[in-house]
Amino acid sequence: MRGYLSFLLSLVASFAMQAFAPSSAKATDCYEATVMAPSPFMGNHDEVIKLDDGSLWQVQNEYEYLYEYQPEVVICPSRGVLVIEGKSLDVVALQASRPLGAHITPSKPSAVVTVVYRPEGCDYFVADGPRGYYLLEWYRGHDPAEGETLVGYDRGYGFKDVVYPDNGQTGRIYAEDYLLSRDSVIEKLAEKCR
């Protein structure tokens, strides 16, 4: 019992220092958009899609059969990745919303989630974002560190494919819980990382 209490106290102290430290995250070119055409959007190879900012993209080497009508997506132009409902699809730009070669202007800010605490030797980590604190588990791909941001996930449970815009890598996480208070996420993390 005494060992567990020491672990919990060190966890709280470390988390408190990390959660409120200034972020050194870089700006991201990922942004949220809506697929306007085709309808339904399938997410299959060679499908050409038009986003609400006027840009055109072509799906590459994917066969998802999504049947989505005007879905909300996250698009990362520099990485050539489109994220929809936890799935990451490879895309290439055919036409930007501005003249080709110009930076694509985001239509809406992307939901950015920041890793604020990652205990050593545990796959679970705490992130902070627009919906409170998140308890996430690294599953595969890029293994995030404290201070890194991720896009492509802002709510829901289960497996999600995400993009780490700071380094351009992708990964898969398991969303254990979200909409958590600071105290609640510390308690849940302590249960997972004993």
Side-chain angles (χ1 to χ4, degrees):
M1 179 69 174
R2 185 172 274 204
Y4 176 72
L5 185 58
S6 295
F7 168 77
L8 190 57
L9 289 173
S10 68
L11 177 69
V12 170
S14 179
F15 176 71
M17 289 189 310
Q18 293 296 325
F20 302 106
S23 174
S24 61
K26 301 172 189 170
T28 173
D29 72 339
C30 297
Y31 63 97
E32 292 180 351
T34 301
V35 175
M36 302 307 291
S39 190
F41 170 57
M42 301 295 285
N44 293 332
H45 181 69
D46 282 341
E47 187 173 25
V48 175
I49 59 174
K50 181 177 183 178
L51 299 182
D52 59 352
D53 66 353
S55 62
L56 295 177
W57 301 84
Q58 186 174 34
V59 178
Q60 298 292 300
N61 305 314
E62 305 287 350
Y63 297 93
E64 293 295 336
Y65 303 100
L66 297 170
Y67 293 98
E68 293 289 336
Y69 294 87
Q70 294 191 332
E72 294 280 327
V73 298
V74 173
I75 186 85
C76 298
S78 66
R79 287 280 301 134
V81 173
L82 178 138
V83 180
I84 176 171
E85 295 184 352
K87 293 180 167 76
S88 177
L89 307 178
D90 291 334
V91 294
V92 293
L94 299 178
Q95 176 184 317
S97 59
R98 292 184 176 184
L100 286 175
H103 177 70
I104 297 175
T105 303
S107 59
K108 296 180 241 175
S110 177
V112 176
V113 177
T114 304
V115 178
V116 293
Y117 181 66
R118 181 71 194 269
E120 194 173 317
C122 182
D123 287 338
Y124 285 88
F125 59 96
V126 175
D128 186 14
R131 300 180 188 274
Y133 289 104
Y134 301 74
L135 181 59
L136 306 174
E137 181 183 15
W138 173 80
Y139 187 71
R140 72 168 179 241
H142 177 68
D143 194 356
E146 292 172 7
E148 287 189 90
T149 59
L150 59 100
V151 294
Y153 167 73
D154 74 340
R155 67 181 177 275
Y157 302 99
F159 288 105
K160 309 290 179 181
D161 289 319
V162 295
V163 175
Y164 298 91
D166 297 334
N167 59 27
Q169 296 186 30
T170 60
R172 188 165 178 83
I173 60 166
Y174 182 80
E176 180 76 27
D177 212 343
Y178 69 111
L179 295 172
L180 297 170
S181 69
R182 185 172 165 262
D183 292 339
S184 181
V185 77
I186 289 171
E187 182 180 315
K188 289 177 182 276
L189 180 66
E191 291 171 8
K192 297 293 184 183
C193 300
R194 290 182 184 226

